[in-house]
Amino acid sequence: KAGVTQTPRYLIKTRGQQVTLSCSPISGHRSVSWYQQTPGQGLQFLFEYFSETQRNKGNFPGRFSGRQFSNSRSEMNVSTLELGDSALYLCASSLGLAGINEQFFGPGTRLTVL
Amino acid sequence: GEDVEQSLFLSVREGDSSVINCTYTDSSSTYLYWYKQEPGAGLQLLTYIFSNMDMKQDQRLTVLLNKKDKHLSLRIADTQTGDSAIYFCAEGNLNQAGTALIFGKGTTLSVSS
């Protein structure tokens, strides 16, 4: 069974641009969660999607948004990029809701904002 | 609010036991997890424990949970150089549908030969 895949693996953008990251969950998984990982703040929850609905959202500005498609694939978008958005963005999928089901993580997308 | 805390670094010699500690604040946490992250990789679930358990053993891994003190520990027996990684403790909550995991900042385990 294929694991969670994330594309692209690496991305370099400049301030003010926008970016879209993609996540393909494990086949059959309906929940996709997104996390931001930085050296200073550690792993912070961005949002969770389950059956195309956003179920929960972390404490991030509205520049961060996401969506989930009917095949459970998910995208997250960051608009008007800031230097502080440089981070590893991790996607995780689970059969059911995150927090009460085992989450499987992808390798992440490393975003660098110049 | 919810918070999970871990010590940042642990250094051990190969063959010794490693104990990584974690404290959490949400008393309604139902599941507690240990994840491992190797350089350049995502997180790998090592083990988890239900909040109504005190201990769980899985090969070289032993998880101890003290629910009264909200303290979780991960013991790695016979630590190997391949165990060098960052270990994250996380709590999950059954009562809040859709709640994601709350992670600690990770403990970097360094194993010397």
Side-chain angles (χ1 to χ4, degrees):
Chain A
K1 203 181 218 184
V4 178
T5 57
Q6 292 187 246
T7 56
R9 290 293 311 278
Y10 302 92
L11 207 48
I12 298 175
K13 292 284 188 179
T14 55
R15 277 181 300 173
Q17 287 187 308
Q18 73 161 21
V19 67
T20 299
L21 311 182
S22 180
C23 172
S24 292
I26 290 172
S27 177
H29 283 195
R30 296 168 64 191
S31 169
V32 173
S33 297
W34 288 89
Y35 296 87
Q36 182 195 63
Q37 186 178 23
T38 58
Q41 297 300 316
L43 273 156
Q44 292 186 286
F45 169 70
L46 280 156
F47 26 65
E48 180 193 11
Y49 286 87
F50 181 82
S51 294
E52 301 178 66
T53 302
Q54 187 179 89
R55 294 301 301 265
N56 199 9
K57 191 175 191 302
N59 190 25
F60 278 82
R63 301 184 296 108
F64 291 82
S65 63
R67 59 179 176 166
Q68 187 180 34
F69 302 96
S70 57
N71 62 358
S72 294
R73 190 177 71 84
S74 177
E75 289 180 347
M76 69 162 278
N77 184 276
V78 188
S79 62
T80 319
L81 283 166
E82 300 177 0
L83 294 178
D85 297 333
S86 294
L88 180 68
Y89 289 88
L90 292 166
C91 159
S93 77
S94 54
L95 272 173
L97 292 172
I100 58 172
N101 286 276
E102 181 178 350
Q103 286 192 301
F104 295 83
F105 282 79
T109 294
R110 173 76 61 186
L111 171 65
T112 302
V113 182
L114 303 176
Chain B
E2 303 154 341
D3 198 13
V4 177
E5 294 195 0
Q6 308 176 231
S7 52
L8 293 181
F9 299 102
L10 177 65
S11 181
V12 300
R13 295 180 68 89
E14 194 174 21
D16 288 349
S17 290
S18 307
V19 179
I20 302 171
N21 295 300
C22 168
T23 58
Y24 60 98
T25 57
D26 188 352
S27 58
S28 60
S29 291
T30 305
Y31 292 69
L32 294 137
Y33 301 82
W34 284 104
Y35 281 86
K36 176 183 180 183
Q37 186 178 34
E38 297 185 54
L43 274 68
Q44 172 198 355
L45 178 66
L46 286 177
T47 186
Y48 63 92
I49 188 168
F50 297 114
S51 60
N52 61 358
M53 297 169 63
D54 298 323
M55 185 183 91
K56 181 179 180 182
Q57 187 150 4
D58 185 0
Q59 299 182 327
R60 292 191 298 122
L61 305 178
T62 303
V63 178
L64 294 177
L65 175 61
N66 181 328
K67 197 172 180 181
K68 175 176 167 289
D69 294 338
K70 301 191 187 70
H71 182 267
L72 182 73
S73 68
L74 173 70
R75 178 176 180 269
I76 305 173
D78 186 26
T79 313
Q80 302 297 307
T81 54
D83 294 324
S84 294
I86 303 175
Y87 291 80
F88 292 91
C89 163
E91 60 174 349
N93 191 318
L94 177 62
N95 295 322
Q96 295 176 256
T99 297
L101 301 182
I102 307 298
F103 285 86
K105 292 197 173 176
T107 299
T108 299
L109 174 64
S110 174
V111 183
S112 57
S113 54

